[in-house]
């Protein structure tokens, strides 16, 4: 529907999959697709049963090649300006999901596609993956978080190399500079992303969300302020039902039941 599909993992009910599902256009982001993605992310964010999310893509050639330039070429300046908040809501929807999100990248992840991957907590890339932020080559600036997320992910110098040249990185280089967190053989990115998501989903959902929030908020703060953020996260979890259940399960040598308050 409108280029985005939401699925629940048949093997793990606590893992959701958001699929960029417009393979005939290499999953290029249209206005309708952006609206749908924002709505799907809002639905997932509000679902307390979802503990981890995989962001994947349909088709064999691309994760996402960025904005639909054919659609944009037919737009007036006013229409492009009106499209802007719709796109920001789509990128923000992925970035602000409270659950950990793992991108499963194959093929081209260019422009907005690279930015969607950067909006996730981890990036799994297969051998076919090609990353790039080519906006400056068509008279634009990355507008889905690329200038900010790339700096935070790979550092200012490497981000400048990526953004200001507009060049493409293959899977080897992406892994070498830390843009991709895990590298797998061609065709295995989705399976690896699901394996990571399933492992995350076994852990306390309260603790996982609190830890993600602490890393997101504290990562750009001075250390002392970041440690205060961590302290708040610790206090949120330390007196929660999950902490009581987790310790009880450890003592009783059983698997924790996070759905049952202790």
């Amino acid at each position: 529907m409108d280029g985005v599909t939401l699925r629940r993992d048949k093997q793990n009910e606590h893992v959701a999959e958001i699929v960029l599902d417009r393979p005939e256009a290499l999953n290029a982001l249209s206005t309708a697709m952006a609206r749908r993605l924002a709505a799907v992310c809002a639905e997932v964010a509000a679902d307390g049963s979802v503990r981890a999310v995989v962001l994947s893509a349909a088709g064999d050639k691309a994760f996402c090649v960025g904005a639909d330039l054919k659609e944009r070429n037919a737009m007036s300046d006013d229409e492009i300006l009106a499209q802007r908040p719709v796109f920001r809501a789509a990128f923000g929807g992925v970035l602000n999901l409270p659950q950990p999100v793992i991108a499963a990248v194959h093929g081209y992840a260019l422009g907005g596609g690279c930015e969607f991957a950067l909006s996730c907590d981890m990036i799994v890339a297969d051998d076919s993956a090609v990353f790039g932020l080519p906006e400056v080559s068509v008279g634009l600036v990355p507008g889905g978080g690329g200038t900010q997320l790339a700096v935070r992910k790979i550092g200012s110098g490497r981000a400048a190399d990526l953004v200001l040249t507009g060049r493409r990185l293959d899977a080897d280089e992406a892994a070498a500079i830390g843009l991709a967190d895990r590298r797998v053989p061609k065709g295995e990115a989705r399976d690896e992303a699901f394996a990571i998501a399933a492992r995350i989903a076994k852990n306390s959902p309260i603790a996982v969300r609190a830890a993600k929030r602490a890393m997101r908020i504290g990562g750009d703060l001075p250390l002392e302020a970041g440690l205060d953020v961590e302290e708040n996260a610790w206090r949120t979890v330390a007196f929660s039902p999950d902490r009581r259940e987790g310790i009880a399960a450890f003592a009783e040598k059983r698997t924790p039941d996070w759905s049952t308050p202790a």
Side-chain angles (χ1 to χ4, degrees), residues 41-66:
C41 287
E43 180 182 342
V44 172
D47 190 338
S49 69
V50 176
R51 300 178 185 173
V53 180
V54 172
L55 179 66
S56 66
D60 299 325
K61 296 181 179 180
F63 178 72
C64 172
V65 294

Side-chain angles (χ1 to χ4, degrees), residues 86-172:
V86 179
F87 270 39
R88 287 202 68 179
F91 287 105
V94 175
L95 182 64
N96 295 320
L97 280 166
Q99 304 94 338
V101 188
I102 303 97
V105 178
H106 71 278
Y108 296 110
L110 304 176
C114 185
E115 290 170 307
F116 278 132
L118 286 168
S119 296
C120 298
D121 298 288
M122 292 181 63
I123 299 173
V124 178
D126 80 5
D127 288 340
S128 71
V130 178
F131 296 88
L133 291 169
E135 284 86 349
V136 296
S137 69
V138 293
L140 288 169
V141 169
T147 63
Q148 304 306 302
L149 296 171
V151 168
R152 287 161 172 78
K153 181 79 171 178
I154 58 176
S156 60
R158 286 170 171 165
D161 183 8
L162 184 63
V163 172
L164 301 182
T165 67
R167 70 184 183 89
R168 298 178 179 184
L169 282 65
D170 62 16
D172 285 335

Side-chain angles (χ1 to χ4, degrees), residues 176-191:
I177 67 172
L179 180 62
D181 300 294
R182 294 201 187 180
R183 166 83 180 281
V184 295
K186 183 177 180 180
E188 295 184 15
R190 183 172 176 270
D191 288 345

